[in-house]
Amino acid sequence: MTAADIGDIGAAPGRFSLRSFRAKFILVVGAALLFDFLLSGGIAIFNVQRLSRDVAAQVGEGLTSANEEFLRTYIETTAQRADLLLEGVHSQLETLAGVTQFMLDNPATSERVGNALLADPALSSALQYNATAGWAQNGAGAPSAVSVWGYLLDEKGVPKPAAQAAIRDSAILELLGPALMATGSPKLQLYYIGPKDASITRSVPYSNQASTLDDIYPGHNKGPSFWDFFFPGIYEGWQSWLVNPSARPTDTDIVATMPYIDSTSGSMVVSYFDALYTPDRKAVAGGVAVDLTLDQLVNLVESVNIGETGFGFLTTSSGNVLATNALGERTLGLSVSDVGGQGVTGVARSLRGSSQTAISGLELPRGGDTVLRHIFLDEKGEQVPYLVVLKQLAPNNLWDGSKIVAETMTLGFVVSERDIYHSLISAQANISAATRGIVNYQLLMVLASLLVVLAAVYAISGRITAGLRQLAEAAHRLQAKDYTVRVNIPSRDEVGAVGVAFNRMAEEIRYHTANLENLVAERTRELEKANGAINALNARLESENTRLGSELDIARKIQMMVLPRPEELSTVPRLDIAGYMAPADEVGGDYYDVLQNGTNVKIGIGDVTGHGLESGVLMLMVQSVARALQEQGRADPREFLEVLNRAIYKNVERTRTEKHLSLAFLDYSDGHITLSGQHEEVLIVRANGDVERIDTMDLGFPIGLESEIGAFIDTRDIDIANGDIIVLHTDGVTEAEAPGGELFGFDRLCKSAHRHRHGRAEEIKAAIIGDLMAFIDTQKIHDDITLVVMKHK
């Protein structure tokens, strides 16, 4: 910084600049006067504002309460209508199930009634065998369509006895089905499905369902049953409830499916199933069902009318929106996609996939109370406030495609707060405008009075501030290093006292400045001495780091030297073996070895807790002890692990490393493997492509943690054939992370091994490591990675 800069910064204020005491004096006096004026006018302004706030608050509370009560009542009434609609469907389905169950409970009655109905040409038509397709269905003209699938027919196309009994027991649907279809809520169809061993279908009204299903779902006619192909898990769910009734998610046997696009009609439907049981109530004997279109629920939701921006929506507990209008889809930021299944095709419009952050994170209610939430939605870059009202419908059982779970749908209303609170916002704006007018008038009066008084104060301020101006000018000269400056203030007030103090300070500054150069030189010598000591310390630290790096490099080389060499692995009879180990640090804590003593081959894999030098040393201890025991001919796997553990435990105690490891061994002999010890799951890919996962948790105990582990050691025998592959790994493989934080996992390891199973062991190993490294990408490797692949030949 130059002297000119210093002069500019420290320049003395003019006779009346904003930094002068005169200006400050005027401002202080003006502020006091302003306070006095504001005190008189402020009370009136405060009362006006308080009145404005009270009126706005009362109007706001009234309108807000009325609007929210209207929304609560509206959504609760709509929810009751939806529940009543579904209760009506349940009631009709229970009626159908009750009559059909009566026939099953009374076989003699069922036989008489069924035979009579089947013999009546007005109610029944003969089955016609389609030799090309392999199924049989009755002719047109009957009230219901009876379809008998190929796996229920004998070689002549005649239904097997169990299927004939199911046809007879369900004949009552010829009378009851049309009546139920004509009453209550509109339904797409009613139908009966026989038990698993006789899963014929009888549906009302009549349709060419057999040929339709053949066209859309080829292969279903081959079995094993209609239940397993189209609705796996429902039949098993009912069967489990017989054993444990408390396992039912809700207090009914009726199970609904997720909404899906019906393959025959193309309509969005929900199927409701009710169970049928054997007379002794020990087994499921089939079920009855009704297909209900969602039109009524959709119309109920889409007809919601709340202002210009309001709409309704119906969603599942997972956030999939079943019904809303075009305005709702646009406002909620939903995207539509199809979800395919084995027998159904659903439609997904998930709240969780919404482009609106407030909607994707919207928490659905978990109880019966009506919930109101205030959120903000982005509309062309503007955050617009919206009100969301949520109400749960009655819970029901839901088949999710594989099992039966509890499901509670939620009805929601959404409306812009600007829309529903329009009258409130308008009233508050008018009140605010009137209040601002009064306040502005009062402020103008205060400012006019203040200007008059400040003019008078300015006229007399020059005389009062003369001494202070002299002090300011002297301070400016002192800043410019003129240490001879002195002030002469004749007054005996506080300003005069400051002048005396200033003169003393200037004298002291002049004295100390003269000795400053000697003081700077002394401090410079001290800093140079300290800097020399720091440089010497840095040199010692650099030398120590170099030494430690060399020691770690030697330890890593020793660790890699004791790993099995490829030429050593190639001598193992009937096993093609390939191994890979990459430490996360200079020295890793993973262990694997292949030990051969005559015909006995022992393959080991382990993982020491942590990694680094201590873990690497413990790994070398394990390798040495295992080699010694193998050379001694310790063939018993349990004894082998017990002795190895005692040796390692004593070394851990001596070194005080507080380390231990998971460790497992595979003893191979002539197509037979004995597995012992606790480590990660063992993966076996059979030659035919089957994948087996073997858990080792019950086969051992961590090594080096306790002195005696014999009670925890167990073995498992495994037979392997030509082409079978065994994969061993440490958790560095399955817990490797992608850049997004996702783990590689055991499932990906299984898929990779299965995909590359036709190659040699070295090729399989390289392919798995390639898949792993591609998954990790640029993410840092946090743990040692070890992989051993063995292929029987």
Side-chain angles (χ1 to χ4, degrees):
M1 183 177 293
T2 66
D5 295 330
I6 296 175
D8 290 340
I9 294 174
R15 284 184 172 273
F16 191 78
S17 71
L18 292 178
R19 293 182 294 159
S20 68
F21 179 77
R22 187 179 184 185
K24 294 175 183 177
F25 173 78
I26 294 174
L27 289 175
V28 169
V29 174
L33 293 172
L34 178 62
F35 174 76
D36 184 53
F37 289 132
L38 289 177
L39 187 61
S40 59
I43 296 175
I45 295 174
F46 172 75
N47 288 332
V48 171
Q49 289 180 326
R50 183 176 63 178
L51 178 61
S52 172
R53 286 195 301 269
D54 292 345
V55 171
Q58 290 178 5
V59 172
E61 289 176 3
L63 290 176
T64 299
S65 177
N67 286 326
E68 291 185 356
E69 185 61 29
F70 163 73
L71 290 175
R72 288 179 186 273
T73 303
Y74 192 0
I75 198 169
E76 288 170 0
T77 302
T78 307
Q80 288 175 358
R81 291 171 61 193
D83 286 335
L84 287 173
L85 174 64
L86 297 179
E87 286 176 8
V89 175
H90 285 198
S91 177
Q92 289 191 308
L93 184 60
E94 288 171 346
T95 299
L96 177 60
V99 173
T100 310
Q101 186 66 60
F102 175 82
M103 304 301 289
L104 293 174
D105 291 341
N106 297 274
T109 302
S110 177
E111 183 174 1
R112 291 195 300 272
V113 173
N115 289 335
L117 293 173
L118 294 175
D120 190 335
L123 297 175
S124 180
S125 57
L127 290 173
Q128 300 174 7
Y129 177 59
N130 186 323
T132 302
W135 44 257
Q137 181 169 311
N138 61 335
S144 67
V146 179
S147 301
V148 185
W149 315 113
Y151 51 86
L152 301 177
L153 300 171
D154 61 17
E155 62 277 2
K156 296 180 179 180
V158 177
K160 297 178 182 178
Q164 291 179 351
I167 295 171
R168 183 189 65 239
D169 291 340
S170 63
I172 192 67
L173 211 65
E174 304 282 16
L175 292 176
L176 190 58
L180 290 176
M181 286 292 294
T183 59
S185 303
K187 296 170 283 292
L188 195 62
Q189 66 175 349
L190 291 165
Y191 51 98
Y192 160 88
I193 307 174
K196 273 200 173 183
D197 61 346
S199 54
I200 67 114
T201 62
R202 180 187 290 273
S203 61
V204 177
Y206 184 91
S207 65
N208 293 322
Q209 63 177 5
S211 60
T212 299
L213 291 180
D214 257 4
D215 292 339
I216 301 175
Y217 306 111
H220 80 94
N221 193 42
K222 297 179 181 179
S225 78
F226 191 91
W227 289 105
D228 291 334
F229 187 89
F230 288 99
F231 304 104
I234 294 182
Y235 202 94
E236 290 75 11
W238 285 335
Q239 190 69 45
S240 68
W241 295 350
L242 286 174
V243 180
N244 181 17
S246 63
R248 294 190 304 180
T250 61
D251 191 22
T252 178
D253 285 349
I254 295 178
V255 178
T257 66
M258 289 290 288
Y260 62 93
I261 300 174
D262 179 63
S263 60
T264 303
S265 67
S267 301
M268 181 70 74
V269 300
V270 174
S271 296
Y272 290 88
F273 290 87
D274 202 356
L276 300 173
Y277 299 103
T278 57
D280 60 5
R281 300 300 189 270
K282 292 185 177 179
V284 178
V288 292
V290 58
D291 286 347
L292 175 70
T293 65
L294 278 182
D295 294 343
Q296 295 179 77
L297 278 176
V298 170
N299 292 337
L300 187 65
V301 173
E302 292 184 349
S303 64
V304 170
N305 185 12
I306 313 170
E308 297 181 358
T309 61
F311 60 89
F313 67 91
L314 182 65
T315 178
T316 64
S317 59
S318 64
N320 187 29
V321 177
L322 306 181
T324 189
N325 56 22
L327 174 62
E329 276 193 7
R330 185 170 61 254
T331 304
L332 294 175
L334 303 179
S335 59
V336 182
S337 62
D338 291 339
V339 179
Q342 180 168 275
V344 297
T345 300
V347 173
R349 291 184 295 189
S350 176
L351 294 176
R352 306 300 166 237
S354 169
S355 60
Q356 296 281 2
T357 303
I359 296 300
S360 63
L362 183 64
E363 182 179 355
L364 299 178
R366 298 186 179 180
D369 296 336
T370 301
V371 176
L372 282 83
R373 293 198 174 95
H374 298 272
I375 63 173
F376 287 88
L377 299 182
D378 182 82
E379 293 185 358
K380 297 181 180 179
E382 180 186 4
Q383 293 297 308
V384 179
Y386 273 78
L387 183 64
V388 180
V389 190
L390 302 171
K391 175 70 177 179
Q392 279 193 340
L393 302 185
N396 61 286
N397 298 324
L398 175 73
W399 175 67
D400 65 0
S402 61
K403 61 184 180 302
I404 301 173
V405 298
E407 168 61 26
T408 306
M409 292 188 290
T410 296
L411 181 65
F413 289 171
V414 179
V415 62
S416 169
E417 292 190 13
R418 296 176 180 175
D419 188 1
I420 197 168
Y421 296 140
H422 176 72
S423 57
L424 170 62
I425 295 171
S426 178
Q428 289 176 334
N430 291 334
I431 293 171
S432 298
T435 302
R436 285 195 301 271
I438 296 173
V439 171
N440 291 338
Y441 176 77
Q442 291 289 336
L443 289 175
L444 286 173
M445 294 298 296
V446 170
L447 288 174
S449 301
L450 182 61
L451 289 174
V452 173
V453 174
L454 285 177
V457 171
Y458 178 78
I460 63 172
S461 61
R463 183 178 179 84
I464 298 174
T465 59
L468 294 176
R469 186 166 59 250
Q470 187 181 161
L471 279 171
E473 291 173 354
H476 174 64
R477 291 174 59 190
L478 184 66
Q479 186 179 27
K481 299 184 179 180
D482 182 3
Y483 303 125
T484 62
V485 64
R486 300 293 183 269
V487 296
N488 182 21
I489 301 176
S491 64
R492 298 186 179 182
D493 55 13
E494 288 82 355
V495 177
V498 171
V500 174
F502 178 85
N503 291 335
R504 292 176 180 173
M505 179 186 67
E507 180 63 28
E508 290 180 1
I509 291 175
R510 185 189 63 79
Y511 171 77
H512 289 296
T513 301
N515 297 287
L516 181 60
E517 292 183 359
N518 294 333
L519 183 61
V520 170
E522 182 179 352
R523 292 293 182 268
T524 301
R525 287 192 296 272
E526 292 177 355
L527 288 173
E528 290 176 350
K529 183 178 179 180
N531 187 55
I534 291 172
N535 290 336
L537 179 59
N538 285 337
R540 289 198 299 271
L541 289 175
E542 183 178 356
S543 176
E544 184 67 15
N545 286 338
T546 302
R547 184 185 62 82
L548 290 175
S550 299
E551 292 178 357
L552 287 174
D553 186 55
I554 293 171
R556 183 184 64 79
K557 290 180 179 179
I558 293 173
Q559 184 180 43
M560 301 305 292
M561 286 170 58
V562 301
L563 293 178
R565 297 188 306 276
E567 57 269 23
E568 180 183 348
L569 297 178
S570 64
T571 62
V572 178
R574 302 197 65 183
L575 285 180
D576 181 13
I577 306 175
Y580 175 88
M581 187 174 78
D585 287 336
E586 290 88 348
V587 182
D590 281 0
Y591 161 79
Y592 88 89
D593 205 351
V594 178
L595 306 173
Q596 185 175 3
N597 185 11
T599 60
N600 185 19
V601 179
K602 183 181 287 285
I603 301 97
I605 188 165
D607 185 1
V608 181
T609 54
H611 42 82
L613 185 58
E614 289 185 353
S615 298
V617 170
L618 184 56
M619 185 276 272
L620 292 174
M621 293 180 187
V622 172
Q623 195 276 341
S624 300
V625 174
R627 170 67 75 178
L629 293 175
Q630 177 76 353
E631 293 301 320
Q632 289 179 1
R634 300 279 184 129
D636 184 85
R638 291 183 178 86
E639 180 187 0
F640 191 96
L641 274 174
E642 283 188 74
V643 175
L644 186 146
N645 176 73
R646 284 197 297 270
I648 297 302
Y649 178 80
K650 291 178 181 179
N651 277 355
V652 168
E653 274 196 327
R654 173 176 292 177
T655 58
R656 299 179 181 178
T657 59
E658 297 184 358
K659 296 279 187 179
H660 59 276
L661 71 153
S662 62
L663 182 62
F665 285 103
L666 281 76
D667 289 271
Y668 170 78
S669 178
D670 193 22
H672 180 79
I673 285 178
T674 300
L675 176 61
S676 60
Q678 183 188 95
H679 189 57
E680 304 295 326
E681 285 185 87
V682 175
L683 169 61
I684 299 179
V685 182
R686 298 294 184 181
N688 62 3
D690 290 345
V691 176
E692 299 177 14
R693 301 169 59 159
I694 301 176
D695 191 354
T696 64
M697 289 302 296
D698 296 332
L699 302 182
F701 195 80
I703 302 300
L705 195 60
E706 296 289 340
S707 60
E708 295 295 335
I709 62 170
F712 302 100
I713 300 174
D714 202 353
T715 62
R716 179 167 176 176
D717 294 329
I718 305 167
D719 290 326
I720 58 173
N722 289 349
D724 290 351
I725 299 166
I726 301 176
V727 180
L728 306 177
H729 71 285
T730 60
D731 59 4
V733 175
T734 55
E735 294 179 5
E737 292 185 9
E742 184 182 4
L743 301 184
F744 187 72
F746 195 80
D747 289 341
R748 282 193 177 85
L749 177 60
C750 293
K751 292 177 182 179
S752 180
H754 184 271
R755 186 166 58 251
H756 305 295
R757 67 185 184 278
H758 298 297
R760 295 173 49 254
E762 179 63 31
E763 295 169 344
I764 298 171
K765 178 210 74 176
I768 294 175
I769 294 300
D771 290 345
L772 177 64
M773 293 307 170
F775 177 82
I776 294 172
D777 197 15
T778 59
Q779 178 72 339
K780 175 179 172 58
I781 298 176
H782 300 289
D783 199 1
D784 307 331
I785 295 176
T786 298
L787 183 74
V788 180
V789 177
M790 296 172 285
K791 187 168 186 179
H792 197 264
K793 57 185 179 179

